[in-house]
Amino acid sequence: MAPAVCGMLLGLTLYTGHLCAVSAAAFLYHDYCVIGAGPSGLQAAYFLQRAGRDYVIFERSHAPGSFFALYPRHRKLISINKRYTGKSNSEFNLRHDWNSLLSHDRRLLFRRYSRDFFPDADAMVRYLEDFASLLKLRVQYNTAIVHVMLEKDRQAWNGHYFLLTDQDRQNYKCSSLLVATGTWVPNVVNFPGSEYVEGYETVSINPEDFAGQTVLILGRGNSAFETAENILGVTNFIHMVSRSRVRLSWATHYVGDLRAINNGLLDTYQLKSLDGLLEGDLEDLAIVKDKKGKLHITLRFYLENRNTSGGIDSITLPQDELDNFATRAPYDRVIRCLGWKFDFSIYNRSLRMMPGKGNKKKYPQIKPSYESRGTRGLFVLGTASHSVDFRKSAGGFIHGFRYTTRAVHRLLENRHHGVPWPSTVYPITQLTNSIIKRVNEASGLYQMFSVLADIILLRENATAFEYLEEYPVGVLAELEMQTGRKAPSGLFVIIMEYGRNFSGADKDVFYYNRAVGEAQHAWQSNFLHPVIYFYKHLPTEREMRLQHPDWPLPRPDAVHHIVEDFLTDWTAPNAHILPLRRFLENCLSTDLRNFFAESCFLFAFTHQKLPPFCRQGYMRLQGLVGSEGLRRHAVEAGLLEDYTLTDFLGDRTPDNHKGSQDRLLRDHMIPVRPLQHLVNAKDEL
């Protein structure tokens, strides 16, 4: 096929899997190339396939989910598999199912693959294999992409194509690249003696191999504690050393911190059973091996001053100067458990794939839209995209990135295929109900708190609204461009947040009076709760850049916190619904209550402007007109003269009933007494 044909715009490409001759080399072309058939790659493929797009997944292994075939080494996942919630709502149940991917096939719920609350990793491998096969996803196995580069082309939709090469030197070409490889390269710290260190990825998992040994573990994450948990009962003692303090997930509400299932060593440390934790910079350490094969911990600067010809005996150990040095006892084994990082090696400089800064350096730099900061059209999915919400939300884990992957797909659908972000239009009277329904059911809002938000776009005169689900708040200023939807009359942003005092360094998360129960103090809520932001105009790029670093959004025109709830059930009429409705009414300067037809009838005679519910229902002939009950109510209210039943229906046949209705509405009205105010909150609901 001619190069000109291969350079067609993405939206006009009608051929799949065709050969393109470019610079005398053969390229297999696809609109979308996905690297990696792990959970995020399969999730992206599902959405692409449902949309009928041309795509392919490249997987280096013979089956999907190759990472889970190896890790965690001791096979116990820390993602919960809550099979029972007491509710049948499938969307709500996903809040507590941290392993299932999103699909239309109810066979592909993880609870069908494991009964364990913390499942075995082999169950995840089986699940991912079935997800790919049952949905017939287009995965090209045993294909390791070893090089990726750009090819400039003016005819391409973004000015370039992505050129991929596999281990067999087969070339591929695509218009959009989705990187779903995760983080799988072990983090390694090099210091003198690091050659004596065993890696988490290769160390024995047989506890008997550690019987009667003394072990030092480098690291303090779940892999480190998982390793310690496995050998806790057979070792002399275990020490752990890491630069940072141990962080407990129940104290930080971050799922990547230490989980309770792995923290047995904390008990043995605090209950004086020989094991212990230390803080120190690993790069300052050094390990020396004595003639008996024992490993001694020293400091790097001691080695710099040693007599190189004197052997091990010439090396100064810390205990030579400080005889109670904490790690003065020799170790039989030292194990490295420092986690993983992204593989940058396969990307050509032309893609400008740069690592992040500080504690995000293990991830590539991406925008809040999950697109690479260096290259348009390159999106990072799954665990590798966690830099957007690192240590804040769940974007590095299946129960989080299944939703961010869907968000990326929706952005691509709008950008490349002119398909706007899915939305539903409702009359303004359904505003309160729509919000209450979503905050009580939606799993994406619940798991990706502070990252994904529902957006309500108000129509002109606030007579209706358009509801968009789970949009990345980091690109709120770009909403109109990214979604194809307009926001001319203001908007509400619904998001889930923790309170400022819920967690932090040295915080006691179980302190007395930690919960807030009164609606008037809802802004002080500490546990996860819904927050509604109101903007009269879409925030600008500048406002997004200047927002407070601890805030998920720029300063709004108004904000409302729905008070936290012990059951995470925000349906209480007085504590949750009424304050929300009053907030919405204040923002819109309208009345959002629902009324019976009789009330609308009264308002028609006593108000210049009817509430929206009456305008959209009763005045469109959807209420009750001319009934005996309404006539009696009007008489008792003093709005009509008292006609007898004979006068109302007389001897007329039912065919003449409509005429009586007309007469009722034409009759002379007497002066109206002021309506009595509602006396309590229940009357107002």
Side-chain angles (χ1 to χ4, degrees):
M1 186 171 292
V5 177
C6 293
M8 294 173 66
L9 290 175
L10 175 65
L12 300 178
T13 301
L14 301 176
Y15 304 97
T16 61
H18 54 275
L19 291 172
C20 300
V22 180
S23 302
F27 287 88
L28 287 169
Y29 177 81
H30 295 278
D31 289 347
Y32 296 93
C33 292
V34 183
I35 304 179
S40 61
L42 297 180
Q43 187 68 88
Y46 168 76
F47 292 121
L48 290 169
Q49 185 150 306
R50 293 282 286 179
R53 305 306 173 200
D54 169 31
Y55 77 93
V56 65
I57 308 178
F58 299 113
E59 170 54 46
R60 60 181 176 171
S61 183
H62 66 282
S66 58
F67 185 88
F68 289 99
L70 300 173
Y71 309 110
R73 292 295 311 284
H74 305 90
R75 311 312 291 151
K76 182 70 70 174
L77 298 176
I78 59 173
S79 49
I80 65 174
N81 177 40
K82 192 169 181 62
R83 299 171 61 233
Y84 302 103
T85 65
K87 296 189 178 183
S88 59
N89 185 291
S90 58
E91 177 70 11
F92 174 87
N93 288 338
L94 278 174
R95 289 183 170 188
H96 310 287
D97 173 357
W98 291 10
N99 300 283
S100 296
L101 296 177
L102 304 178
S103 80
H104 65 282
D105 193 335
R106 296 193 60 80
R107 293 175 298 175
L108 294 171
L109 292 174
F110 195 83
R111 68 169 182 257
R112 304 182 187 278
Y113 288 79
S114 176
R115 301 175 64 87
D116 297 330
F117 189 67
F118 292 106
D120 191 278
D122 292 336
M124 177 59 72
V125 174
R126 294 194 304 272
Y127 174 79
L128 295 177
E129 289 175 349
D130 284 356
F131 193 90
S133 61
L134 291 177
L135 297 174
K136 297 180 172 55
L137 303 181
R138 296 192 282 275
V139 186
Q140 187 169 313
Y141 295 109
N142 301 308
T143 304
I145 299 301
V146 297
H147 190 253
V148 183
M149 63 178 294
L150 289 181
E151 177 192 63
K152 299 293 183 180
D153 192 323
R154 292 182 178 179
Q155 292 182 320
W157 65 269
N158 59 359
H160 58 252
Y161 290 106
F162 296 93
L163 305 184
L164 287 66
T165 304
D166 68 16
Q167 78 277 18
D168 297 323
R169 296 187 178 180
Q170 173 63 59
N171 298 313
Y172 307 89
K173 186 175 185 176
C174 53
S175 293
S176 188
L177 179 63
L178 307 181
V179 177
T181 55
T183 55
W184 61 273
V185 178
N187 271 317
V188 177
V189 176
N190 292 313
F191 53 80
S194 59
E195 64 270 19
Y196 303 124
V197 175
E198 302 174 75
Y200 168 81
E201 62 277 9
T202 58
V203 71
S204 172
I205 58 174
N206 182 1
E208 292 306 315
D209 292 341
F210 297 85
Q213 294 186 350
T214 301
V215 178
L216 176 67
I217 296 178
L218 307 180
R220 195 163 295 170
N222 279 292
S223 62
F225 276 88
E226 166 207 333
T227 301
E229 194 80 15
N230 184 53
I231 60 178
L232 201 57
V234 298
T235 54
N236 296 332
F237 58 80
I238 302 171
H239 288 166
M240 273 189 190
V241 61
S242 180
R243 179 173 54 190
S244 60
R245 295 176 50 185
V246 64
R247 290 184 291 257
L248 304 171
S249 61
W250 50 261
T252 63
H253 64 261
Y254 175 58
V255 67
D257 284 335
L258 178 60
R259 304 293 299 285
I261 188 176
N262 288 327
N263 69 8
L265 187 134
L266 295 183
D267 271 6
T268 58
Y269 171 40
Q270 292 295 316
L271 299 178
K272 307 178 294 297
S273 189
L274 298 180
D275 304 314
L277 277 67
L278 296 164
E279 288 77 39
D281 195 333
L282 300 184
E283 294 181 351
D284 292 336
L285 298 182
I287 297 177
V288 294
K289 192 173 186 178
D290 65 20
K291 296 176 182 179
K292 296 180 180 180
K294 297 288 186 177
L295 302 176
H296 298 262
I297 303 300
T298 184
L299 300 176
R300 182 191 291 264
F301 72 85
Y302 284 132
L303 296 186
E304 296 173 352
N305 300 322
R306 75 184 178 99
N307 181 358
T308 56
S309 62
I312 181 69
D313 296 331
S314 67
I315 299 175
T316 301
L317 299 177
Q319 55 265 35
D320 295 336
E321 298 180 357
L322 184 65
D323 59 6
N324 66 340
F325 182 65
T327 57
R328 61 186 179 273
Y331 297 96
D332 295 293
R333 307 176 82 155
V334 179
I335 306 172
R336 167 182 43 77
C337 302
L338 299 174
W340 317 93
K341 61 183 178 180
F342 183 77
D343 180 16
F344 292 91
S345 65
I346 67 173
Y347 301 96
N348 185 275
R349 287 186 177 182
S350 60
L351 278 80
R352 294 180 291 176
M353 285 277 281
M354 302 297 293
K357 299 178 181 179
N359 59 6
K360 298 181 182 179
K361 63 184 178 181
K362 59 184 176 181
Y363 303 116
Q365 291 186 18
I366 57 176
K367 302 175 183 177
S369 61
Y370 302 92
E371 188 170 25
S372 169
R373 291 192 178 276
T375 304
R376 180 176 169 84
L378 191 160
F379 288 82
V380 179
L381 309 177
T383 301
S385 69
H386 197 26
S387 61
V388 170
D389 63 306
F390 183 60
R391 300 200 53 76
K392 294 181 180 179
S393 196
F397 311 90
I398 292 176
H399 61 288
F401 65 62
R402 61 190 178 193
Y403 301 106
T404 60
T405 300
R406 180 165 64 183
V408 168
H409 171 70
R410 289 170 172 172
L411 295 174
L412 291 171
E413 284 290 294
N414 177 63
R415 178 188 290 186
H416 302 328
H417 309 288
V419 179
W421 193 284
S423 68
T424 307
V425 177
Y426 297 100
I428 201 67
T429 54
Q430 295 301 312
L431 182 57
T432 307
N433 290 342
S434 298
I435 295 174
I436 290 295
K437 177 178 173 62
R438 285 288 294 170
V439 300
N440 280 288
E441 295 179 359
S443 178
L445 288 182
Y446 192 83
Q447 297 296 359
M448 289 306 297
F449 54 88
S450 300
V451 177
L452 297 181
D454 284 1
I455 310 295
I456 293 175
L457 305 178
L458 298 172
R459 294 291 181 88
E460 187 176 359
N461 298 325
T463 57
F465 63 92
E466 192 172 8
Y467 205 108
L468 284 65
E469 297 178 0
E470 294 162 18
Y471 179 78
V473 295
V475 287
L476 182 61
E478 305 169 16
L479 182 137
E480 294 186 336
M481 178 187 70
Q482 297 281 15
T483 66
R485 305 294 181 182
K486 299 299 181 182
S489 304
L491 66 155
F492 291 99
V493 180
I494 296 93
I495 199 168
M496 305 288 279
E497 296 181 17
Y498 279 95
R500 299 289 179 263
N501 296 318
F502 183 79
S503 67
D506 302 318
K507 286 283 182 68
D508 175 13
V509 296
F510 298 119
Y511 65 89
Y512 281 109
N513 300 319
R514 60 187 176 273
V516 174
E518 298 79 18
Q520 62 267 34
H521 300 139
W523 62 277
Q524 295 178 309
S525 295
N526 287 316
F527 202 68
L528 192 67
H529 63 284
V531 184
I532 296 88
Y533 292 77
F534 173 64
Y535 295 94
K536 295 179 180 178
H537 305 284
L538 194 65
T540 64
E541 291 278 6
R542 183 176 182 275
E543 290 172 333
M544 294 293 290
R545 288 195 306 270
L546 297 178
Q547 74 185 57
H548 192 281
D550 293 333
W551 295 358
L553 290 166
R555 183 180 296 276
D557 293 290
V559 64
H560 175 73
H561 293 252
I562 300 180
V563 69
E564 62 182 319
D565 188 79
F566 184 69
L567 302 177
T568 61
D569 178 10
W570 293 280
T571 57
N574 292 325
H576 302 136
I577 299 176
L578 179 58
L580 171 63
R581 202 205 70 224
R582 286 173 171 169
F583 166 76
L584 299 174
E585 290 176 336
N586 288 334
C587 292
L588 302 177
S589 299
T590 192
D591 190 333
L592 295 178
R593 288 177 294 175
N594 296 335
F595 297 96
F596 291 108
E598 291 91 337
S599 298
C600 289
F601 177 80
L602 298 180
F603 287 144
F605 290 100
T606 59
H607 288 64
Q608 292 183 347
K609 181 181 179 181
L610 292 182
F613 185 86
C614 295
R615 294 200 307 271
Q616 296 174 2
Y618 175 79
M619 296 304 289
R620 294 180 181 178
L621 303 182
Q622 295 181 18
L624 300 175
V625 180
S627 68
E628 173 61 19
L630 178 61
R631 187 197 69 80
R632 192 181 311 113
H633 185 90
V635 170
E636 292 173 355
L639 298 174
L640 293 176
E641 295 182 3
D642 186 9
Y643 293 95
T644 63
L645 184 61
T646 303
D647 291 334
F648 184 58
L649 293 176
D651 297 326
R652 292 185 290 264
T653 64
D655 293 337
N656 293 326
H657 183 60
K658 185 177 184 301
S660 67
Q661 294 178 350
D662 295 339
R663 179 183 174 187
L664 177 66
L665 296 176
R666 289 195 307 267
D667 276 325
H668 175 69
M669 294 183 60
I670 61 177
V672 179
R673 296 191 301 270
L675 294 178
Q676 188 175 11
H677 290 293
L678 297 171
V679 294
N680 60 48
K682 290 185 178 180
D683 293 335
E684 194 175 348
L685 289 171

